Amino acid sequence: MLRKFLVQCTVLALPILGGILLYGWWNKAYFPAPRLTPNIAVNEKVERIVRLQRDGADVLSLGSSMTLNNLASGPVLAHFKGMRYVNAGAWGMGAGELIQFGPMLVERLKPRIVLVAMSPLDMIKGSRLSPRDSAAIVRHLDSKSPAMGYLWHREAAYYLRQMELNKIRFDDPGNYEYLGYDASGAALLQVSPERREPGRYTETPPTYDKLKQERYEAFARFASYLAERDIRMIVLSSPFREGLTNEAVTTLFKQHHARLHGMLDPLGHTLLEAGDRSWPDALYADASHFNADGAERFTAHCLAQLQD
């Protein structure tokens, strides 16, 4: 009787399972990365590197959405001609998280140069990786088969839900969660004025006292980590849109840059500033993230300051 019941259950379940598998195959372009961490952008970027870019990089970009959205690949590739380039930027991987996330990629991709696009906002908050998250990332980076990640992280409901959301994330640059990577791994936004979120577009820049000491200290540890390995770091300081810039914001950047110079200059690293010109509101998706044209201009402007 029990055997008959189990056989009947199996027979009834097969069409459902087959339907789910067929649906997943049909939408395989949007199938999410293994759920290595709670951070979707980190998961997608690690999965991309494992599948497409694990052979190494001469130039590696790290950082938060400032690197993901504001660092355009075209000017980087034009400046570092002939070098292999990977953008590993992901939401929340700001100044305090680089010392966690960065070494995992640096040790495997072996870059000579690390680029970091940064805003004062990176000194306020981020998405910290737990030891369990870090272990999952390392295991996936070192795995011989990317598919093994799904065996370690089996959550069918999560994958089906994220697959639907990825139809927007992967195809719509007007969405703030856009993850439609270019060949190097950047995801440049293109948010039209009518689609701007008012709260994001009018977000008031912080004052210097809001920037956290522990995040500067964590960033200094990452800078030292790179210097000890003879890896040069180039930091691109991303500005707020012109309509939010005033004397207080100018003072904020002066203090912020002085702090960064104090930790970067002795190590031979470089800080590139963008405050010598204005950055019109029309170039921005929100208060601090550029649209594609702005990202191209910002990246080219900063890299033009390098004396190689």
Side-chain angles (χ1 to χ4, degrees):
M1 180 68 76
L2 177 60
R3 181 179 178 183
K4 182 179 179 181
F5 173 74
L6 293 175
V7 170
Q8 289 176 333
C9 288
T10 301
V11 171
L12 291 173
L14 283 176
I16 299 174
L17 178 60
I20 293 174
L21 292 175
L22 180 62
Y23 180 73
W25 178 85
W26 186 260
N27 293 280
K28 58 182 180 294
Y30 303 105
F31 203 79
R35 193 179 188 182
L36 308 173
T37 78
N39 188 319
I40 293 165
V42 168
N43 299 341
E44 293 294 341
K45 188 53 66 75
V46 171
E47 171 70 1
R48 177 183 175 82
I49 289 171
V50 167
R51 287 188 293 107
L52 304 175
Q53 299 170 318
R54 70 195 304 172
D55 290 338
D58 302 302
V59 182
L60 173 65
S61 292
L62 293 167
S64 65
S65 56
M66 292 294 115
T67 295
L68 176 65
N69 301 138
N70 285 2
L71 196 59
S73 300
V76 175
L77 293 169
H79 185 89
F80 299 102
K81 292 181 176 66
M83 294 190 181
R84 296 170 300 168
Y85 172 55
V86 173
N87 184 322
W91 313 327
M93 294 297 102
E97 294 73 35
L98 283 174
I99 190 61
Q100 296 179 286
F101 188 51
M104 291 186 278
L105 297 180
V106 168
E107 296 298 329
R108 288 160 179 80
L109 299 180
K110 308 295 184 184
R112 290 185 283 152
I113 297 170
V114 166
L115 304 180
V116 177
M118 175 182 292
S119 150
L121 297 173
D122 286 301
M123 296 299 178
I124 295 178
K125 60 183 179 179
S127 300
R128 185 169 181 81
L129 298 173
S130 70
R132 182 177 179 178
D133 297 335
S134 298
I137 291 171
V138 168
R139 181 170 58 199
H140 198 59
L141 288 170
D142 292 342
S143 175
K144 300 298 182 183
S145 172
M148 290 298 296
Y150 295 103
L151 296 179
W152 285 102
H153 305 277
R154 300 182 298 275
E155 297 184 47
Y158 167 84
Y159 293 121
L160 291 173
R161 182 171 65 254
Q162 296 305 323
M163 183 168 56
E164 288 300 310
L165 293 174
N166 284 346
K167 292 178 181 179
I168 300 173
R169 291 191 187 113
F170 290 180
D171 291 343
D172 182 9
N175 183 283
Y176 286 107
E177 290 190 357
Y178 181 56
L179 293 177
Y181 302 124
D182 64 18
S184 299
L188 304 190
L189 298 173
Q190 195 58 58
V191 181
S192 59
E194 60 272 15
R195 293 187 65 183
R196 291 172 183 155
E197 292 185 13
R200 294 181 61 133
Y201 192 69
T202 60
E203 182 181 6
T204 304
T207 53
Y208 183 70
D209 62 290
K210 300 296 184 183
L211 310 189
K212 297 182 179 179
Q213 167 74 13
E214 62 268 23
R215 296 186 70 78
Y216 279 105
E217 292 174 352
F219 185 65
R221 290 198 298 275
F222 182 62
S224 295
Y225 164 86
L226 294 177
E228 290 167 0
R229 289 157 179 77
D230 294 321
I231 300 171
R232 179 187 182 191
M233 179 162 64
I234 300 171
V235 177
L236 295 79
S237 181
S238 189
F240 293 100
R241 64 181 180 86
E242 186 177 43
L244 296 175
T245 301
N246 51 34
E247 185 176 345
V249 173
T250 300
T251 300
L252 163 69
F253 274 105
K254 285 182 179 178
Q255 294 172 304
H256 174 58
H257 289 160
R259 188 77 175 271
L260 291 178
H261 276 298
M263 65 179 68
L264 296 174
D265 294 354
L267 297 173
H269 298 321
T270 304
L271 174 63
L272 304 176
E273 303 176 23
D276 58 339
R277 54 152 290 179
S278 62
W279 297 94
D281 295 352
L283 297 175
Y284 284 79
D286 62 18
S288 58
H289 294 89
F290 286 108
N291 274 328
D293 186 38
E296 296 278 349
R297 296 188 193 187
F298 163 69
T299 307
H301 176 78
C302 287
L303 294 180
Q305 302 172 38
L306 290 176
Q307 301 295 321
D308 292 329

